[in-house]
Amino acid sequence: MDGTVLVADDDRTIRTVLTQALTRAGCKVHATSSLMTLMRWVEEGKGDLVISDVIMPDGNGLQALPQIARLRPGLPVIVISAQNTIMTAIQAAEAEAFDYLPKPFDLPDLMKRSARALEQKRVAPKPAEPRPVVEELPLVGRTPAMQALYRLVARVMNADLPVLITGESGTGKSLIARAIHDFSDRRAQPFVVAQAADLAGVEGISTLLARSKGGSLVLDEVADFDADAQARLVRMLDVMGEQGPRIMSTSQADLTARLESGSFRKDLYYRLSGVTLAVPALRERVDDIPLLAEHVLARGEREMGGAARALSAEAKAFVRAHPWPGNVRQLENTLRRLMVTSSEPEIARAEIEAALGQVQASAVPPGAMEGEKLAQSVARHLRRYFDLHGGQLPPPGVYDRVLREMEIPLIEIALDATAGNQAKCADLLGINRNTLRKKITELRYPRDTPPQVDVNQPQACVRFARGGTDTSLWREWHGPPAFGGGCGVKFLSQRDMGEVVSPAPGAGDAGCLQLWSGVSGPASGGCHLPGHGSL
């Protein structure tokens, strides 16, 4: 690599690292923390490449790009920024920066991009027109998935291609469509969102084309269009001329699966999917959640006024671990609600849990997840399980663990539905009664789980449970109610399940059993039933 590189960053460490790396690669380096100094060097004709931060003590690196282009049309500029939003990527692309990298960046990657910049000859850029400031877009993220999406959005902004934007509900599909329009050459033209009903009738298509002429037409949730609407849409796309709108579509559903099932037309899919932008779910970019939360709270403070709000350390950990099925929209709505209801400057974890509990109680009917099939629910939980391992594979034995987790609630719910009648439960499940008993033993009495005891005094019943906190599958011994007396209850296997200790005071001749967890104390108190019983 050969040439002179101008580095501008207010972080001394970054300047030092880049100076050393570029010098070792064979470049001459001039480094500064001042934007004014950088511009003076550019005006003097120094440098074959500029690497600049955005926020500088005396100016904004992005805003300086048009001036650099006027002074030195062939000078490539690589923008590095800690402001990892889609706006930064779009503004860098609009100002025709050679490349854009979010902080923290990968040094070898930056070195490769610098080498390409020094080798390639840039063309003089067109003067950039002012763009609207769209601060309300909650498209913030420094994860690789979001940065790749930002760069792709910037590249397709003025491309003469239809755009298909896919992703779950609440991920920001419509916001991306709006950003593409607002920062494109069509920004002064109409932005129209259409549903299937807007295509109905002969006049529907002509009216829609007239409303969106020369602008952008967004087909909202195009996977929900029925066969008639799809046919009308194909005809509309075929008759559009050069003055027609740019077509963008959004879809929660997997259109490729709809193609296979025959519910979505192939010819329509090919007309809509010139470029596909896949917006990741929030659970697929958990490292962005704290940054998004800060962004939402800061914007809420500007819009609603009042005291500044922040999340406690426990609250930050909670929002990062929560699955957020409603994605960014759910996160934003939850935090904005808490900005109104919270009385303290710091929002606690308990407040977030309460807010989410209220939403779930009001939004989801008991026992129902409308619109979601069992296989989809299982797939969602399995995807979350894999995601929690941070890109690494889970420990071996996933198949057996998943089957076990499915069997436990299935058997428990079936037993509850049949009032504990094992014969009815086995018939309901379609398995042999002996098989059911074996599975109950295997699933509820694992060898590696310490015993737990629950004393049901109103029924004078001692229950010995094994296998977690769920006590629906117990082995029971019942005795007559005689509170105040003693009891002697022992396990079939004291080695596995507990040990007999000294009689409780006042137990008379009976003696008493207490269970010990094997850690530091009793798992439960004794019982008060007369006589000696065996389980």
Side-chain angles (χ1 to χ4, degrees):
M1 199 159 51
D2 185 25
T4 301
V5 181
L6 308 181
V7 176
D9 198 298
D10 60 347
D11 189 322
R12 178 180 297 179
T13 301
I14 290 180
R15 294 199 306 271
T16 302
V17 169
L18 291 180
T19 298
Q20 292 176 350
L22 291 166
T23 301
R24 285 196 299 268
C27 295
K28 295 179 181 180
V29 181
H30 297 283
T32 180
S33 62
S34 168
L35 186 61
M36 291 181 63
T37 302
L38 172 65
M39 297 307 297
R40 178 167 53 82
W41 287 342
V42 171
E43 191 171 3
E44 292 172 354
K46 294 181 179 178
D48 303 300
L49 168 65
V50 173
I51 301 177
S52 176
D53 192 9
V54 174
I55 303 300
M56 306 281 283
D58 55 351
N60 185 294
L62 277 177
Q63 295 174 1
L65 288 180
Q67 186 179 355
I68 293 175
R70 287 193 297 269
L71 295 172
R72 300 276 301 280
L75 183 62
V77 180
I78 295 178
V79 175
I80 55 176
S81 174
Q83 290 188 316
N84 306 312
T85 70
I86 190 171
M87 295 300 104
T88 308
I90 289 176
Q91 289 165 1
E94 284 187 327
E96 299 194 15
F98 179 83
D99 215 332
Y100 160 75
L101 280 174
K103 292 181 180 178
F105 54 80
D106 180 62
L107 183 59
D109 184 29
L110 177 58
M111 296 298 291
K112 291 178 182 177
R113 295 171 191 248
S114 299
R116 288 199 299 269
L118 289 170
E119 292 171 0
Q120 295 181 18
K121 183 177 181 180
R122 283 171 47 86
V123 297
K126 300 177 183 178
E129 298 181 20
R131 301 300 194 203
V133 178
V134 190
E135 294 182 350
E136 68 271 14
L137 292 177
L139 297 171
V140 178
R142 58 169 57 101
T143 54
M146 289 304 292
Q147 292 300 318
L149 176 62
Y150 297 163
R151 285 193 285 268
L152 185 55
V153 167
R155 287 198 294 269
V156 305
M157 199 163 42
N158 287 313
D160 190 19
L161 288 170
V163 177
L164 174 62
I165 307 171
T166 64
E168 296 179 5
S169 175
T171 52
K173 299 185 296 296
S174 60
L175 294 174
I176 288 179
R178 183 79 210 199
I180 292 174
H181 173 80
D182 286 345
F183 286 82
S184 72
D185 293 338
R186 300 174 184 259
R187 63 190 178 280
Q189 304 302 321
F191 178 82
V192 178
V193 179
Q195 284 82 30
D198 296 315
L199 297 171
V202 178
E203 296 182 355
I205 293 178
S206 58
T207 301
L208 200 57
L209 289 176
R211 287 174 54 203
S212 57
K213 184 176 180 180
S216 299
L217 175 59
V218 179
L219 305 171
D220 188 41
E221 293 304 327
V222 70
D224 295 337
F225 285 28
D226 59 23
D228 290 338
Q230 292 180 37
R232 291 194 295 270
L233 185 54
V234 169
R235 290 195 294 270
M236 184 191 80
L237 296 175
D238 287 342
V239 301
M240 280 193 336
E242 294 182 358
Q243 300 302 316
R246 180 183 194 173
I247 301 298
M248 291 186 280
S249 310
T250 66
S251 176
Q252 296 182 40
D254 183 359
L255 288 182
T256 56
R258 298 288 179 93
L259 292 177
E260 294 176 0
S261 66
S263 60
F264 198 82
R265 294 174 59 131
K266 291 184 179 180
D267 55 349
L268 177 57
Y269 176 77
Y270 298 139
R271 285 171 169 83
L272 298 178
S273 58
V275 177
T276 300
L277 303 177
V279 186
L282 196 51
R283 65 178 175 274
E284 296 170 354
R285 53 185 189 109
V286 293
D287 290 339
D288 285 334
I289 294 177
L291 185 66
L292 274 164
E294 293 176 5
H295 176 83
V296 170
L297 292 174
R299 197 179 75 241
E301 180 186 350
R302 293 194 303 270
E303 294 176 355
M304 299 186 293
R309 294 287 193 272
L311 299 180
S312 68
E314 289 186 351
K316 289 180 180 178
F318 176 79
V319 297
R320 193 181 187 280
H322 190 72
W324 299 109
N327 293 293
V328 178
R329 184 186 297 124
Q330 183 190 16
L331 173 65
E332 182 178 17
N333 291 342
T334 301
L335 294 179
R336 289 178 72 90
R337 184 185 310 112
L338 289 172
M339 290 189 71
V340 176
T341 60
S342 179
S343 59
E344 300 295 331
E346 190 173 75
I347 298 173
R349 169 176 176 162
E351 294 179 282
I352 300 177
E353 291 177 329
L356 291 172
Q358 292 170 3
V359 170
Q360 292 168 359
S362 61
V364 182
M369 281 290 289
E370 292 187 7
E372 185 176 47
K373 296 180 180 179
L374 176 61
Q376 294 172 323
S377 177
V378 172
R380 175 163 51 81
H381 287 284
L382 288 176
R383 195 177 298 112
R384 173 66 177 166
Y385 173 72
F386 275 77
D387 290 341
L388 289 175
H389 288 81
Q392 303 295 322
L393 290 176
V398 171
Y399 184 81
D400 288 336
R401 287 200 299 275
V402 170
L403 290 184
R404 177 184 174 81
E405 291 297 323
M406 288 290 292
E407 278 188 314
I408 290 174
L410 176 60
I411 292 177
E412 290 177 347
I413 293 171
L415 278 170
D416 183 64
T418 55
N421 187 311
Q422 293 188 7
K424 291 183 178 179
C425 182
D427 184 60
L428 174 65
L429 296 173
I431 60 177
N432 183 274
R433 185 175 179 181
N434 290 332
T435 301
L436 175 62
R437 288 176 174 172
K438 181 180 178 182
K439 287 187 176 295
I440 291 175
T441 302
E442 292 175 349
L443 297 177
R444 289 290 95 187
Y445 299 94
R447 289 265 176 198
D448 57 348
T449 305
Q452 299 176 359
V453 176
D454 177 57
V455 179
N456 191 340
Q457 289 185 344
Q459 288 138 31
C461 167
V462 181
R463 299 182 174 186
F464 297 91
R466 308 203 64 186
T469 57
D470 192 318
T471 55
S472 60
L473 301 179
W474 273 319
R475 302 171 69 185
E476 301 182 357
W477 177 84
H478 292 268
F483 299 105
C487 72
V489 182
K490 67 179 181 179
F491 291 107
L492 293 177
S493 173
Q494 294 180 6
R495 177 179 60 82
D496 288 338
M497 303 183 71
E499 60 177 316
V500 177
V501 296
S502 59
D509 298 332
C512 185
L513 170 72
Q514 287 187 328
L515 278 182
W516 291 76
S517 62
V519 182
S520 60
S524 176
C527 59
H528 297 281
L529 297 172
H532 294 267
S534 296
L535 297 181

